[in-house]
């Protein structure tokens, strides 16, 4: 079965006063129907920009998609007209953003914002769309949904606004949901509720999910596969259990080492990754992680490694076999 989404060598840059930020540098990934793919990495690693590029939501200027292909249901999204792409967004691919107050219209009621795509993409009447909006708010766990349709975003709590955004994203039964750090601004109890909500909706609808986060703890119980990003590159990709039990890239090992544990290793000290992320206007010549890596060799400073297989469906972009003790 072909992938639902197949991204090939996408590259995105931003022109700024000091030069050009190379935000995404040849990212390739795929998502199968019904699968949940986690994309993890620290701030500035290119997670969100890669998915905004897929959705063609990069503001131009200053941003520009420099190359690549984005195949979705047999079409390259980068070749579609603006009108054709507008019909894909919402109807076939839904997206949930990190801060709902940025993306919800403050002067439109929640009910109207959910109903609009139903009328636009599915041709529903105003009454049908309102009834469906109420069903969607019920589905995502908004209490007394019928009485909340005419409320405005500021009348919802942070968790309820995020639920409303999920309802909007799912309104037209998309094949793929992209969730861009949707729980970052929420407390841990609400985070857990949102994660469980998305897992339940995925089971009920069969949609695929891309979950973008810097929190490997969330991904552990949510994703089927994980892509780890650093400096605009995917540096490791593996099934979720394999990644957590056998990380092969030093950056992934550093991320996992910074997580508190509740098992037999809980008394070990947490690990920090030394240094700072690279300047993406003037990135390092070789491996972008080399200045922060404990295993750096001369080759790492000269050549940037590509992803290579290190196990079953497990690839890492590193010149050294870290799992074997760092030998070249």
């Amino acid at each position: 079965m072909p992938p639902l989404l197949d991204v090939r060598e996408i590259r995105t840059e931003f022109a700024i006063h000091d030069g050009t930020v190379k935000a995404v540098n040849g990212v390739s990934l795929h998502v199968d129907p019904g699968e949940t793919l986690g994309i993890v990495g620290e701030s500035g690693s290119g997670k969100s920009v890669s998915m905004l590029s897929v959705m063609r939501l990069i503001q131009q200027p200053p941003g520009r998609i420099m190359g690549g292909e984005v195949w979705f249901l047999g079409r390259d999204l980068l070749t579609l007209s603006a009108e054709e792409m507008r019909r894909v967004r919402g109807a076939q691919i839904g997206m949930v953003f990190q801060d709902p107050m940025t993306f919800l219209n403050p002067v439109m009621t929640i009910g109207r914002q959910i109903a609009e795509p139903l009328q636009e993409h599915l041709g529903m009447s105003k009454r049908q769309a309102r009834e469906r909006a109420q069903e969607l708010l019920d589905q995502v766990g908004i209490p007394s949904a019928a009485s909340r349709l005419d409320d405005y975003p500021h009348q919802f709590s942070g968790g309820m606004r995020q639920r409303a955004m999920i309802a909007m994203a799912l309104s037209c039964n998309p094949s793929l949901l992209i969730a861009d750090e949707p729980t970052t601004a929420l407390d841990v109890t609400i985070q857990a509720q949102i994660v469980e909500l998305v897992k339940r909706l995925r089971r009920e609808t069969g949609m695929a999910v891309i979950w973008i986060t810097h929190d490997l703890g969330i991904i552990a119980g949510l994703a089927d596969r994980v892509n780890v990003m650093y400096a605009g590159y995917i540096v490791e990709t593996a099934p979720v259990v394999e990644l957590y039990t056998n990380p092969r890239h030093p950056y992934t090992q550093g991320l996992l080492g910074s997580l508190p544990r509740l098992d037999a290793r809980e008394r070990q000290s947490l690990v920090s990754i030394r240094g700072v992320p690279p300047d993406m206007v003037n990135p390092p010549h070789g491996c972008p992680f080399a200045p922060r890596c404990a295993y750096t060799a001369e080759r790492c400073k000269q050549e940037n490694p590509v992803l290579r297989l290190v196990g079953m469906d497990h690839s890492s972009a590193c010149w050294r076999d870290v799992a074997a003790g760092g030998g070249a």
Side-chain angles (χ1 to χ4, degrees):
M1 180 182 294
L4 175 67
L5 177 71
D6 188 6
V7 179
R8 305 174 186 174
E9 292 292 324
I10 196 165
R11 293 180 292 112
T12 303
E13 299 179 351
F14 292 87
I16 63 172
H17 178 72
D18 294 331
T20 301
V21 176
K22 297 175 175 61
V24 177
N25 301 299
V27 164
S28 297
L29 58 85
H30 71 277
V31 184
D32 294 326
E35 179 183 38
T36 296
L37 173 68
I39 301 179
V40 301
E42 61 195 303
S43 297
S45 62
K47 310 181 302 296
S48 297
V49 173
S50 61
M51 290 300 103
L52 290 173
S53 301
V54 165
M55 295 289 282
R56 285 182 45 191
L57 291 174
I58 298 295
Q59 185 174 349
Q60 303 184 43
R64 183 181 178 189
I65 300 173
M66 302 299 294
E69 301 174 0
V70 179
W71 291 93
F72 177 74
L73 296 178
R75 295 190 295 175
D76 182 1
L77 300 185
L78 298 187
T79 66
L80 300 185
S81 68
E83 177 61 26
E84 289 173 325
M85 192 63 210
R86 191 177 65 83
R87 289 198 292 267
V88 170
R89 297 189 202 104
Q92 296 174 306
I93 304 177
M95 192 160 186
V96 180
F97 297 94
Q98 178 176 343
D99 181 8
M101 281 304 284
T102 302
F103 295 93
L104 290 172
N105 190 325
V107 297
M108 286 178 61
T109 65
I110 292 292
R112 183 180 172 192
Q113 293 187 63
I114 298 174
E116 273 197 344
L118 295 167
Q119 295 174 268
E120 175 71 21
H121 294 297
L122 301 184
M124 288 187 178
S125 67
K126 188 174 181 179
R127 179 178 178 179
Q128 290 172 326
R130 184 177 174 86
E131 291 174 352
R132 176 59 178 155
Q134 179 183 332
E135 292 174 4
L136 286 162
L137 288 182
D138 274 326
Q139 190 176 16
V140 299
I142 299 291
S144 307
S147 64
R148 303 309 302 268
L149 288 172
D150 295 319
D151 286 348
Y152 291 86
H154 72 272
Q155 295 174 278
F156 278 47
S157 67
M160 290 173 66
R161 284 195 292 266
Q162 200 59 277
R163 289 172 183 268
M165 276 208 67
I166 292 172
M168 292 173 61
L170 298 180
S171 60
C172 297
N173 298 315
S175 304
L176 173 64
L177 175 70
I178 300 174
D180 185 4
E181 303 208 44
T183 62
T184 298
L186 306 176
D187 65 57
V188 291
T189 302
I190 305 301
Q191 282 185 18
Q193 293 175 1
I194 296 297
V195 170
E196 288 303 315
L197 170 63
V198 172
K199 289 168 68 174
R200 175 174 63 81
L201 293 172
R202 174 199 170 192
R203 289 193 302 268
E204 293 174 355
T205 65
M207 66 181 177
V209 177
I210 296 176
W211 190 285
I212 303 167
T213 184
H214 63 274
D215 188 344
L216 276 162
I218 289 178
I219 287 296
L222 180 67
D224 300 306
R225 283 188 303 114
V226 183
N227 286 348
V228 181
M229 289 194 68
Y230 185 79
Y233 297 93
I234 293 176
V235 297
E236 186 163 10
T237 177
V240 63
V241 175
E242 169 71 9
L243 187 90
Y244 279 73
T245 57
N246 186 28
R248 299 293 287 272
H249 194 281
Y251 178 61
T252 310
Q253 293 179 348
L255 290 178
L256 290 171
S258 67
L259 288 178
R261 299 179 64 113
L262 298 177
D263 58 14
R265 293 174 53 193
E266 64 178 307
R267 295 184 183 277
Q268 293 189 7
S269 299
L270 299 182
V271 176
S272 62
I273 301 175
R274 64 181 184 180
V276 296
D279 178 2
M280 298 308 292
V281 176
N282 298 294
H285 179 65
C287 172
F289 191 62
R292 309 176 70 185
C293 182
Y295 302 96
T296 301
E298 191 59 33
R299 187 180 188 184
C300 305
K301 302 174 184 178
Q302 303 301 324
E303 300 177 68
N304 190 10
V306 297
L307 285 169
R308 61 182 179 88
L309 277 174
V310 294
M312 184 67 70
D313 198 25
H314 188 169
S315 297
S316 174
C318 185
W319 290 122
R320 302 170 72 85
D321 188 355
V322 176

